Amino acid sequence: MSLLTTLQQLRAAETQYAQPLSRLRYLHIADRPLVFLPLNRPGETARPLAVMTGSDPHHPHLFLAPPGGDDLFLAALADHLHTYIRGFQKDWRIQPAKDDRPERREYLDAPQLVVTGTASVDYLKILGRRLRYRPIPDDTDPAASVAHLGRWLTFFAERAEYSASSLLLNLTRLLSTHWATGQSALEDARLASLMAWIFPPAGQTGLEAALDAEDPLVHPPDGPTIDPSFESARLTSLFASLKAARGARRHQHVERLRQAADDYLTPTWKLAWQALSTLRGMSPIPSTIARWNTDIRQFTHHSDRLDAGAPPQPKQDNAVAAAIGLAELEHAAAALDSHRALEDSFVMAERRTTGEAFSGLVTHTEPDRIIEAQGPRQRAKLRPRFTVHTTDPVRLEVNRRLAGPRDPAVHMNVCDITYTPDGIDIVLEVITRTGTVAQPNRRSVPAVGTTLLLTTAPEHFPRPQFPAWDQIPWTHAGPHAKAAGQEQPA
């Protein structure tokens, strides 16, 4: 936690109102998101009792799984989700070939699932794993099967691990990056308490509203776990009645169970759409569009895999796939942090307190510095240098690539860091937008006396190289693992 976030939390505790951490949104909010509120059956793992879902805030769909009705419930839920997804598979564009990428087809937009918190993200991941290996009957459409429902839920849950992805939106996590409250992170994970701090009713402070929101009869917990008081007050007797009932009486008890689930989920449904409306009203940072385009490509790729009859996602990645996935997660998170800092002054200020960004005065420049050609086929390069003096704390090292909001396309490498009695001198070398020796770009070199604000460039984080499958050693379950007495991962 940074100094700025801590100060805002202390201020929120003192004033009893949430304090802003950012005024710009960094994730995409779709025009037609699908809010997905699962409610699990008491005492069982990944076995839904009900799901309230829909893309219209005024007309939610409630899918109920009474005892003995799991198959019908899953089939109806699969049809609903697939109908929503198919709405984004009608229109596409052709992306031309670029560099080593061939020409490819790509959808114009992508679906977006919205859940209230991390517990629901984890629940979808577990439920997806439970369903995606189910056999697909020969006489059914695979695209509308329960197995494909599991594969889609797994896809969305896996994309949620990327902090830059908007395909599965985690409301409490996103809201917590924009507001600091006077309560703990555990309490922030509950949508009702978090929204009470951010938008308390008239005449109440955020703290007072949050205390009222703790009443489970007024604001039931988000789920998927059912509140124990609700279970003992309504569900226990309903399940007992359903077990003994037959015929018309069973239908009556099912409707009573449906009403109970509706009463439980409706307050959270309304809060989720209020949160979405709030986030949609915030201006996005410019790089949000590029990240959503990445999500569209991932959606297109997964759709194509399903259409081609590809197998479900494996239970466990092999060593190379796991390493690549971890590297991609780290790269995406670091690049997102840098983009946010370059485009959001709140985030830049926060990075300055941690030493990942600094403000300084240009004290010396070498705008005409040239690196001579090293061989007969190489040309001399213009590589200007300049020195920045700062009094900010700095946690950088030589060869780190930096950029600033003054011109984010101009990147510079850290060449030297010298500590002086009154601060730090940092020598930087401009490596992009320099122009040529014959036609230098003077705008890429700041003048002496200019104040610069710099942080790590998003493109600084290179992707490591990993071995091919046949090069994985047997110690990491490679192709010769069976000969060594080990089992290869699925």
Side-chain angles (χ1 to χ4, degrees), residues 109-133:
D109 203 359
Q112 181 181 65
L113 262 63
V114 179
V115 296
T116 56
T118 303
S120 293
V121 175
D122 296 339
Y123 185 80
L124 294 191
K125 187 173 184 178
I126 297 172
L127 182 60
R129 180 169 183 168
R130 176 191 155 203
L131 299 179
R132 68 177 183 258
Y133 299 105

Side-chain angles (χ1 to χ4, degrees), residues 9 24 119 252 276 308 332 424:
Q9 287 183 336
L24 297 175
Q252 292 175 358
L276 278 172
I424 304 173

Side-chain angles (χ1 to χ4, degrees), residues 317-327:
D317 290 329
N318 62 51
V320 171
I324 291 175
L326 181 59

Side-chain angles (χ1 to χ4, degrees), residues 205-221:
T205 65
L207 176 59
E208 292 169 342
L211 291 174
D212 290 344
E214 291 182 0
D215 185 350
L217 298 178
V218 179
H219 292 285

Side-chain angles (χ1 to χ4, degrees), residues 457-475:
E459 292 78 7
H460 169 76
F461 311 97
R463 291 172 171 82
Q465 298 295 318
F466 295 99
W469 163 249
D470 58 356
Q471 298 298 316
I472 304 175
W474 66 267
T475 54

Side-chain angles (χ1 to χ4, degrees), residues 370-381:
I370 296 174
I371 298 179
E372 298 297 336
Q374 301 298 316
R377 295 187 178 183
Q378 294 184 353
R379 298 180 181 179
K381 297 180 181 179

